[in-house]
Amino acid sequence: MPPPDPAVSAVRSAVRRLLGSAEAAPFRGAPLAVACSGGADSLALAAAASHAARREGVAVHGLVVDHGLQAGSAGVAARAADQLRELGCSARVIAVEVGRGGGLEAAARRARYAALRAERPPGSLVLLGHTLDDQAETVLLGLGRGSGSRSIAGMRPLDPPWARPFLGVRRATTEAACAALGLVPWQDPHNSDARFTRVRLRTEVLPLLEDVLQGGVREALARTARQLREDADALDELAAGVRGRVESGGALDALALREVPGSLRRRVLRAWLLARGVPEITDEHLRAADALVADWRGQGGPALPGDFVLRRAHGTLLVEAAGRKPPDG
């Protein structure tokens, strides 16, 4: 039997590598779910996952989310499901309703992830077809928006229940794998619509950077993301230890926290605020919270998203529902 096409080998190796990693060990032997739009990335992923699953004796469940945002979307979803079945996967189409809050792209993403999380087989990973190209675009978006190291660190290969085996695989490789396997990907018109920021990054910004910097930009951005994730993980672990020492009864000891270096202190504050139910914390919110610790002169605390207020009372930081105000001190 001749060896498989190089692109097919590459996508299969990527899936085997992630599923065989120590981090994925808790999911070994569980069924796999593959999110499939019908595009080249997700079809190549489904083919590679099906190949790996046969070797491991586990089932693969294809989940096709129909956002209903384009004419004929039901037909596109049905064709994707048919190709999944031809690959040996079970397949189900999930129709979702997309809101408009935060923009169309963000709303569609929220609806998609909620559906995938709800419909995946219990205990399974959901494989997503994000490629190295997607990772590079994510890093550029985070950099351009000043969203901090977390955004520039990009997407994680494994963030249960999400698994992204292709973060080291170029989009051209998934397209070549589909061609070699006789799969017919859907060409999403949104992927060439310049109204979407990612499309302009993909078609205008990245090609220009590749030209100016003489190639390798996508790989360099993905490499930067990996390095930042490693640093962020180490800092998060240190911050968790600090939080364990300064938190009591849901409040933080501001005097003890003041002695902690700023970047670590803000990580403690961010994790604590999220745990107290504060959503969508921006850098501005975080630095205003930090000022109550490191630069407190009797000022009141900032208003926070979700109708919360941060207070300093008797050397302690408290998160309160708006309207409840203990004495500052």
Side-chain angles (χ1 to χ4, degrees), residues 48-289:
S50 181
H51 182 267
R54 283 195 296 271
R55 298 177 59 170
E56 299 297 325
V58 300
V60 179
H61 301 270
L63 302 176
V64 183
V65 177
D66 177 10
H67 300 87
L69 295 176
Q70 301 179 48
S73 66
V76 170
R79 286 191 293 276
D82 288 342
Q83 292 198 82
L84 287 171
R85 295 184 188 105
E86 291 170 6
L87 290 168
C89 310
S90 68
R92 188 150 51 90
V93 175
I94 308 163
V96 298
E97 185 173 338
V98 177
R100 290 294 185 269
L104 185 60
E105 286 180 281
R109 184 169 55 250
R110 285 194 299 271
R112 178 169 63 254
Y113 275 69
L116 292 170
R117 186 185 289 275
E119 299 297 333
R120 70 186 177 103
S124 70
L125 289 172
V126 181
L127 274 60
L128 305 173
H130 296 119
T131 65
L132 184 147
D133 299 76
D134 295 310
Q135 184 75 300
E137 293 161 15
T138 298
V139 174
L140 273 183
L141 278 173
L143 184 62
R145 291 170 176 169
S147 304
S149 61
R150 291 177 183 277
S151 290
I152 302 171
M155 298 174 281
R156 292 181 178 274
L158 187 62
D159 183 20
W162 317 116
R164 300 177 178 90
F166 286 175
L167 290 183
V169 176
R170 290 294 306 271
R171 187 173 291 131
T173 302
T174 67
E175 293 169 349
C178 286
L181 293 168
L183 298 170
V184 183
W186 173 54
Q187 304 297 328
D188 186 350
H190 281 173
N191 288 337
S192 57
D193 189 337
R195 290 177 301 170
F196 297 107
T197 303
R198 273 189 180 269
V199 172
R200 297 197 67 187
L201 283 176
R202 184 179 308 141
T203 60
E204 299 176 34
V205 177
L206 276 165
L208 178 60
L209 285 173
E210 293 280 1
D211 180 48
V212 171
L213 299 176
Q214 300 180 24
V217 169
R218 291 171 177 84
E219 289 80 2
L221 288 169
R223 188 165 59 248
T224 298
R226 183 175 66 249
Q227 293 164 350
L228 283 170
R229 278 198 309 277
E230 292 168 353
D231 291 348
D233 288 346
L235 286 170
D236 284 345
E237 187 174 343
L238 291 172
V242 171
R243 182 181 164 196
R245 296 195 300 272
V246 302
E247 182 177 11
S248 178
L252 293 185
D253 182 340
L255 299 177
L257 189 57
R258 184 176 58 189
E259 305 306 315
V260 176
S263 63
L264 200 56
R265 186 173 61 237
R266 286 186 288 275
R267 270 182 155 77
V268 173
L269 286 166
R270 183 179 187 277
W272 173 68
L273 290 170
L274 289 171
R276 303 304 295 170
V278 180
E280 300 177 3
I281 302 166
T282 66
D283 183 69
E284 183 180 1
H285 295 135
L286 199 54
R287 291 186 182 275

